[in-house]
Amino acid sequence: MEIFKETSKIDFMGKRKLALGISGLLIVISLVSIAFQGGLSYGIDFAGGTLVQLRFKSAPSVDSIRTGLKEIGLGDSTIQEFGSKNEILIRTATSSSELKEVGSRIKDALLKGGSEDDIIVDRVELVGPKVGADLREKALLSIVYAIAGILIYISWRFEFQFAIAAVLALMHDVMITMGVFSILNIEFTLVVVAGFLTLIGYSLNDTIVVFDRIRENTRRQGKETLENMINLSVNQTLSRTLLTSGTTLLVVIALFVLGGEIIHDFSLTLLVGVAVGTYSSIFIASVFLVYWESKRRTKKRA
């Protein structure tokens, strides 16, 4: 199936300044949002604290839950619906060992003489601040190691400038996706980190396909300029790129809508990442190769 014929002649490199402008603007907005929010909003996995998931027989009011929590000294907890109006997540920054029975304490505080079946404690998670900091460091290192491995692999399979181009495209995708999370004030959790690692793998796959075609065309048509070679390669792989991304997006949208709250943030990471990654594999990675070649020629003339 072809959306665009391999002989199509869309001038992607002619629009590189516009693409770089759009990317630069999105990255600036992301950085400003993260700075304005005082950094990423870490979830309980990284910041430490206690999470309690309760299932009510009938939909409770947030005010009544807040009042009940105040009575046991947890009035500053975060309260949110989880999946349905009958399910509530309560997050508190406190993670002392005395709160290991926090689920029962909260349940008792909210029951107020009601039946035991009115509230069911589905989940209690407790993460200490030291464990949270350790997880945060390991999550960051996992992303750094993944990018370092990609740098080495692509340098070996292609050339060093291709590796730099691929890594820049990946950083572009990660920064913009982080910006979306910051703007939407979504917590950065282990599930989101798993989403970012999946995103890195997906985005790299798309970029490698374009790089492979550029290398093949360079061998076949060595007299063409690099801009023409990239335009030719991107046009030849455009249908494949759009079909792959389109079908992936359909799956991710289904997960986002039907997958439930547990994988909601994971699917949102992929939803944003696949869209941004498709754009960056066409414009950002290849554009860097053009600037690298231009700089090399300038040095050669000098």
Side-chain angles (χ1 to χ4, degrees):
M1 182 178 176
E2 278 190 338
I3 299 176
F4 294 93
K5 292 184 178 179
E6 288 197 1
T7 53
S8 60
K9 295 180 180 178
I10 303 173
D11 183 15
F12 292 102
M13 290 302 98
K15 299 173 180 61
R16 62 178 182 267
K17 289 184 179 176
L18 175 64
L20 287 177
I22 292 171
S23 293
L25 180 63
L26 292 176
I27 289 172
V28 168
I29 291 173
S30 299
L31 293 176
V32 169
S33 173
I34 292 171
F36 185 76
Q37 304 267 14
L40 293 171
S41 174
Y42 291 116
I44 195 171
D45 303 341
F46 298 130
T50 305
L51 179 148
V52 180
Q53 182 179 341
L54 301 173
R55 183 153 38 93
F56 290 76
K57 193 172 183 179
S58 57
S61 75
V62 173
D63 289 341
S64 66
I65 294 174
R66 180 73 66 196
T67 303
L69 292 175
K70 277 182 182 176
E71 292 174 2
I72 55 173
L74 298 176
D76 58 349
S77 302
T78 302
I79 302 167
Q80 67 179 100
E81 289 181 4
F82 186 78
S84 72
K85 290 183 178 179
N86 290 20
E87 292 183 75
I88 297 293
L89 270 186
I90 298 172
R91 299 169 193 267
T92 172
T94 309
S95 58
S96 63
S97 57
E98 289 78 12
L99 282 177
K100 285 181 179 176
E101 299 300 325
V102 68
S104 301
R105 290 181 58 199
I106 289 176
K107 178 179 176 178
D108 293 341
L110 299 181
L111 271 175
K112 293 181 178 176
S115 167
E116 282 285 319
D117 295 335
D118 290 347
I119 303 176
I120 296 173
V121 180
D122 280 341
R123 179 166 52 130
V124 178
E125 292 180 6
L126 186 147
V127 179
K130 287 185 180 177
V131 174
D134 189 45
L135 285 174
R136 195 163 61 232
E137 183 183 341
K138 286 180 178 175
L140 179 64
L141 285 176
S142 68
I143 294 176
V144 171
Y145 290 153
I147 291 177
I150 288 166
L151 194 65
I152 294 169
Y153 170 71
I154 299 182
S155 295
W156 167 71
R157 182 171 171 182
F158 293 90
E159 294 175 30
F160 182 65
Q161 62 268 32
F162 283 81
I164 297 291
V167 168
L168 285 176
L170 290 178
M171 291 174 67
H172 165 275
D173 300 347
V174 169
M175 288 178 73
I176 292 177
T177 309
M178 277 186 175
V180 171
F181 270 68
S182 175
I183 290 168
L184 298 177
N185 200 25
I186 295 174
E187 288 186 342
F188 199 78
T189 62
L190 283 175
V191 172
V192 174
V193 172
F196 274 101
L197 291 174
T198 309
L199 159 66
I200 287 173
Y202 179 86
S203 181
L204 179 67
N205 178 57
D206 246 7
T207 305
I208 290 289
V209 169
V210 177
F211 283 178
D212 251 337
R213 189 57 64 96
I214 292 173
R215 185 171 58 178
E216 285 175 17
N217 286 331
T218 304
R219 288 171 181 167
R220 290 173 188 165
Q221 306 179 42
K223 292 181 181 178
E224 288 286 346
T225 62
L226 184 60
E227 288 93 331
N228 289 340
M229 211 78 75
I230 290 173
N231 272 332
L232 177 65
S233 304
V234 174
N235 276 292
Q236 288 175 344
T237 56
L238 190 57
S239 288
R240 182 263 177 208
T241 301
L242 294 181
L243 283 171
T244 305
S245 300
T247 49
T248 307
L249 275 176
L250 287 177
V251 175
V252 174
I253 289 171
L255 287 175
F256 181 76
V257 176
L258 305 172
E261 291 291 332
I262 294 291
I263 61 169
H264 188 270
D265 292 346
F266 178 81
S267 52
L268 178 63
T269 308
L270 293 184
L271 194 60
V272 177
V274 169
V276 178
T278 304
Y279 160 80
S280 72
S281 66
I282 293 174
F283 287 102
I284 303 304
S286 302
V287 166
F288 176 79
L289 294 177
V290 174
Y291 283 107
W292 179 285
E293 179 66 14
S294 172
K295 195 175 177 183
R296 192 185 66 82
R297 284 181 184 173
T298 305
K299 276 187 179 177
K300 208 171 181 180
R301 286 175 195 154

